[in-house]
């Protein structure tokens, strides 16, 4: 028994609406030259043409989905539970990246506040152990958080596996190279 | 400089490149070592369910570029490693398929049908030997076709196609890829449209970076690594994690089946398998030469054709196809392995990538510089050396070296990789995610790149959720700039003729084929519905 649903119709309609917004709003409002321009008495292709072609691909695809493949068999049906799981996963990634970005500078701020020094993270970003702080904490949080989410519980094994994985990554991407910077040391 | 001189220089570039060490007084070049390293990595990665060749390529690329630098000397070691991974992953995927009924790569699914029943009958080692023999045969055949065909195709393109035709050829390629990947032309077109739209953000010829919404972050456009790795790798990791969570991955014991009886592959076995290997190799090579049609379809077709022949020729006491026939393994593995070499025909002759591995080869070439895959590579200049042509023949040599490794040590290494099934997927996938984000950061050195990659990862996940293949997106992202540049040049060359795609007969023919491909696929889809 094949499953028929309205997934393709909904998806096609959303794509057509997005393509219409791109063609009617985004391209005209956010591109300085038109489809074809006259520059020094020569006709040249403007910056709007290529995105218009891209949007036409979307119109064609959305149109085919709505009018031709609307009743295609075995259409996927995204589940809300699955999307909620991915939202939780992305929240872990988001928080971990924030920890990765700010752990080093915050640690330096604490050291300055308690020991009265005037250290700057920017000057320490290529010095161990400072340069590993953000990557280690953020990376460990990211991996252990995702493993715990997949397992449905927080376990010591997940944290240990994360610590090990992050240490291996430091040995892959940083220890052998002078010219590679681990995140977030290129930004701070 | 004649053709033979170029071939010889390509071979020398691989064997007499920078020496890494010497073995019994013979210098061993760094390219050879990198091909070997890539090949072994590829087998291990292919044998690990949840990992695949492109993931290893994504993680390795920034490290390789950092080690070898941005000089033309880096091209052969880096691309040799990637070619090794591509070939290794192809045979590695059969290991868990045969031993544990779990395909290591999607194209090894059909291998489970006969491979696992053979394991249950105590013939695991023999099944692995059959898979290796068929895979190495198909791969070698496909590489020979590539080496013979790619230069001729490139020369034809250079000789007969002008700017309007080249633009139309790119449109035809995108339409073809959209129509054939994933089984839904509508969804393929959407994926292509999104890829084109993404690559046009922040680019253009005007002072104002188009579609950037006034944001300084968007004004530089999306770095290619963020889009490709985000949609292909991070999107896949998110989807796999969701599937894993859904199944709550059963932690049951892995059944162990003891090998019994003769496990060797005899001459009589090989003679019996050869007709299946030959047919599947032809099917896989023909499919691989067309951009976008993956090895999974080749495996399915090879298996179907093999089954039809087996039904007529089988001995009465032999097992049925799908119940442990070694011919089934041979038909599948020869077909999916012969796609990889032929897939490089459109890459090297036209600059059009047809699969994920080819995307990474182009990414490597673009990152390092000095080699632009496309018809201009095969200019056989006689008065001066065309360095790109030397690299192309160097790549062919690297593929042959990888084949020699495959025939000699590949089988042994492959048979030892059964242990990879025990790598826990729920720990592996988050580690791959962080590895990919780190790989992107060390190339771009700004957190924005990581945010972009996560954004593209979410897009890749959503696309997979609604059964839109991400591959047309990636290929459109790579070809989008080339398409616009070629259209601008063709427009200028035809004196501003807005109908240049339809007034030039060659271009008009290619455009008609592009429309026909879409219409034909859509009609076929409607009939199925």
């Amino acid at each position: 028994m094949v499953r028929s649903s309205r997934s393709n119709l909904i998806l096609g309609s959303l794509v057509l609406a997005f393509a219409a917004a791109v063609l009617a709003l985004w391209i005209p409002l956010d591109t300085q030259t038109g489809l074809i321009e006259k520059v020094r008495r020569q006709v040249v292709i403007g910056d709007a043409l290529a995105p218009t072609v891209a949007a036409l691909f979307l119109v064609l695809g959305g149109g085919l989905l709505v009018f031709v493949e609307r009743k295609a068999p075995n259409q996927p049906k995204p589940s809300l539970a699955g999307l909620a799981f991915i939202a939780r996963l992305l929240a872990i990634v988001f928080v971990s990246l924030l920890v990765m970005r700010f752990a080093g500078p915050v640690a330096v701020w604490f050291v300055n506040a308690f020991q009265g020094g005037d250290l700057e993270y920017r000057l320490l970003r290529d010095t161990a152990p400072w340069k590993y702080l953000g990557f280690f904490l953020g990376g460990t949080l990211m991996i252990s958080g995702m493993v715990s989410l997949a397992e449905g519980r927080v376990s010591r094994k997940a944290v240990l596996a994360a610590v090990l994985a992050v240490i291996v990554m430091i040995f892959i991407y940083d220890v052998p190279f002078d010219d590679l910077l681990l995140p977030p040391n290129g930004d701070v | 400089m004649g053709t033979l001189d170029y071939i010889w220089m390509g071979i020398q570039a691989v064997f007499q490149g920078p020496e890494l060490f010497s073995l019994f007084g013979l210098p061993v070049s760094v390219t050879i070592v990198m091909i070997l390293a890539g090949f072994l990595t590829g087998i291990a990665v292919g044998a690990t369910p949840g990992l695949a060749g492109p993931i290893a390529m994504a993680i390795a690329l920034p490290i390789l570029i950092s080690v070898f630098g941005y000089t033309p000397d880096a091209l052969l070691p880096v691309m040799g490693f990637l070619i090794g991974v591509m070939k290794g992953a192809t045979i590695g995927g059969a290991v868990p398929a045969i031993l544990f009924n779990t395909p290591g790569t999607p194209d090894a699914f059909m291998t489970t049908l006969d491979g696992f029943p053979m394991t249950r009958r105590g013939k695991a080692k023999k099944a692995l030997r059959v898979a290796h023999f068929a895979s190495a045969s198909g791969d070698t055949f496909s590489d020979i076709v590539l080496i013979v065909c790619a230069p001729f195709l490139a020369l034809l393109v250079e000789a007969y196609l002008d700017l309007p035709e080249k633009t139309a050829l790119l449109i035809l390629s995108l339409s073809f890829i959209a129509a054939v990947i994933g089984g839904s032309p509508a969804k393929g077109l959407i994926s292509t449209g999104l890829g084109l739209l993404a690559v046009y953000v922040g680019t253009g010829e005007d002072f104002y970076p188009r579609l950037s919404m006034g944001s300084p972050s968007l004004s530089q456009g999306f770095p290619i690594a963020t889009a490709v790795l985000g949609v292909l790798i991070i999107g896949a990791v998110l989807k796999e994690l969701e599937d894993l969570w859904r199944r709550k991955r059963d932690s049951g014991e892995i059944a162990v089946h003891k090998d019994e009886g003769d496990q060797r592959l005899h001459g009589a076995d090989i003679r019996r398998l050869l007709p299946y290997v030959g047919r599947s190799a032809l099917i896989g090579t023909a499919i691989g030469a067309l951009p976008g049609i993956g090895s999974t379809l080749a495996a399915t077709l090879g298996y179907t054709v093999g089954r039809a022949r087996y039904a007529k020729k089988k001995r009465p006491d032999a097992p049925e196809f799908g119940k442990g026939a070694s011919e089934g393994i041979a038909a599948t593995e020869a077909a999916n392995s012969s796609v990889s070499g032929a897939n490089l025909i459109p890459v090297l002759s036209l600059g059009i990538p047809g699969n994920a591995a080819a995307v990474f080869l182009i990414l490597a070439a673009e990152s390092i510089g000095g080699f632009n895959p496309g018809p201009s590579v095969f200019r056989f200049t006689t008065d001066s050396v065309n360095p790109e042509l030397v690299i192309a023949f160097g790549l062919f040599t690297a593929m042959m070296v990888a084949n020699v490794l495959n025939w000699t040590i590949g089988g042994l290494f492959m048979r030892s990789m059964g242990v990879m099934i025990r790598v826990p997927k729920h720990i592996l996938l988050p580690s791959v995610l962080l590895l990919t984000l780190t790989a992107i950061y060390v190339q771009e050195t700004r957190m924005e790149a990581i945010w972009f990659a996560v954004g593209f990862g979410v897009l890749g996940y959503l696309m997979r959720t609604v059964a839109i293949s991400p591959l047309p997106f990636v290929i459109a992202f790579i070809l989008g700039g080339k398409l616009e540049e070629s259209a601008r040049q063709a427009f200028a060359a035809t004196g501003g003729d807005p109908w240049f795609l339809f007034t030039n007969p060659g271009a008009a023919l290619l455009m008609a084929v592009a429309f026909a491909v879409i219409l034909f696929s859509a009609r076929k889809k409607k009939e199925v519905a």
Side-chain angles (χ1 to χ4, degrees), chain B residues 318-394:
Chain B
E320 293 288 337
F321 243 53
K323 302 237 166 92
S326 53
E327 287 84 348
I329 300 174
T332 307
E333 285 298 315
N336 66 23
S337 302
S338 56
V339 168
S340 64
N343 241 316
L344 296 188
I345 294 176
V347 180
L348 290 176
S349 57
L350 307 172
I352 295 166
N355 64 1
V359 165
F360 282 98
L361 283 174
I362 288 195
L363 210 58
E366 279 198 3
S367 305
I368 297 168
F371 183 68
N372 299 302
S376 62
V377 166
F378 291 95
R379 275 196 317 259
F380 286 82
T381 48
T382 48
D383 46 344
S384 62
V385 177
N386 172 6
E388 289 189 292
L389 188 52
V390 176
I391 296 290
F393 282 114

Side-chain angles (χ1 to χ4, degrees), chain A residues 30 45 47 69 173 186-187, chain B residues 184 208 210 213 441 447 488:
Chain A
D30 208 14
I45 287 179
D47 276 356
E69 296 185 22
Y173 282 113
D187 290 81
Chain B
S184 161
Y208 175 76
R210 67 181 163 203
M213 296 190 256
Y441 190 87
M447 286 302 274
R488 283 183 193 276

Side-chain angles (χ1 to χ4, degrees), chain B residues 210-231:
Chain B
R210 67 181 163 203
L211 308 180
S212 59
M213 296 190 256
S215 150
S217 305
L218 289 179
S219 65
Q220 297 171 48
F222 298 114
I224 189 168
T226 64
V228 171
L229 302 193
V231 169

Side-chain angles (χ1 to χ4, degrees), chain B residues 61-80:
Chain B
L61 195 54
I63 300 173
L64 295 172
I65 290 176
S66 184
V67 170
F68 292 103
Y70 292 89
T71 63
D73 284 345
L75 281 165
L76 281 177
V78 172
M79 293 174 92

Side-chain angles (χ1 to χ4, degrees), chain B residues 296-498:
Chain B
T296 307
L297 177 68
T300 314
L301 270 181
Y303 188 81
T304 312
V305 170
R307 185 170 52 194
R309 180 187 156 85
Y310 192 72
K312 289 180 207 153
K313 304 270 177 186
K314 110 180 214 338
R315 294 189 312 265
D317 59 327
E320 293 288 337
F321 243 53
K323 302 237 166 92
S326 53
E327 287 84 348
I329 300 174
T332 307
E333 285 298 315
N336 66 23
S337 302
S338 56
V339 168
S340 64
N343 241 316
L344 296 188
I345 294 176
V347 180
L348 290 176
S349 57
L350 307 172
I352 295 166
N355 64 1
V359 165
F360 282 98
L361 283 174
I362 288 195
L363 210 58
E366 279 198 3
S367 305
I368 297 168
F371 183 68
N372 299 302
S376 62
V377 166
F378 291 95
R379 275 196 317 259
F380 286 82
T381 48
T382 48
D383 46 344
S384 62
V385 177
N386 172 6
E388 289 189 292
L389 188 52
V390 176
I391 296 290
F393 282 114
L395 288 179
F396 293 156
T397 309
M399 296 180 90
M400 283 305 167
V401 170
N403 286 334
V404 171
L405 292 172
N406 198 352
W407 281 107
T408 48
I409 60 167
L412 195 68
F413 193 70
M414 175 196 179
R415 288 193 290 279
S416 68
M417 280 292 110
V419 69
M420 298 307 283
I421 189 84
R422 295 180 194 277
V423 177
K425 222 171 167 180
H426 67 288
I427 294 176
L428 187 70
L429 290 170
S431 306
V432 167
L433 181 79
L434 183 61
L435 260 175
T436 310
L437 292 178
T438 312
I440 290 168
Y441 190 87
V442 298
Q443 287 177 82
E444 300 294 331
T445 52
R446 55 187 176 125
M447 286 302 274
E448 266 169 13
I450 288 193
W451 294 116
F452 285 151
V454 171
F456 279 116
V458 173
L459 178 66
Y461 161 78
L462 291 174
M463 287 166 79
R464 284 172 172 86
T465 305
V466 293
I468 295 180
S469 167
L471 203 51
F473 176 97
V474 171
I475 294 172
F477 193 93
I478 288 173
L479 292 182
K482 200 187 265 187
L483 175 66
E484 186 179 21
E485 190 191 325
S486 142
R488 283 183 193 276
Q489 288 174 351
F491 187 73
T494 53
D497 175 10

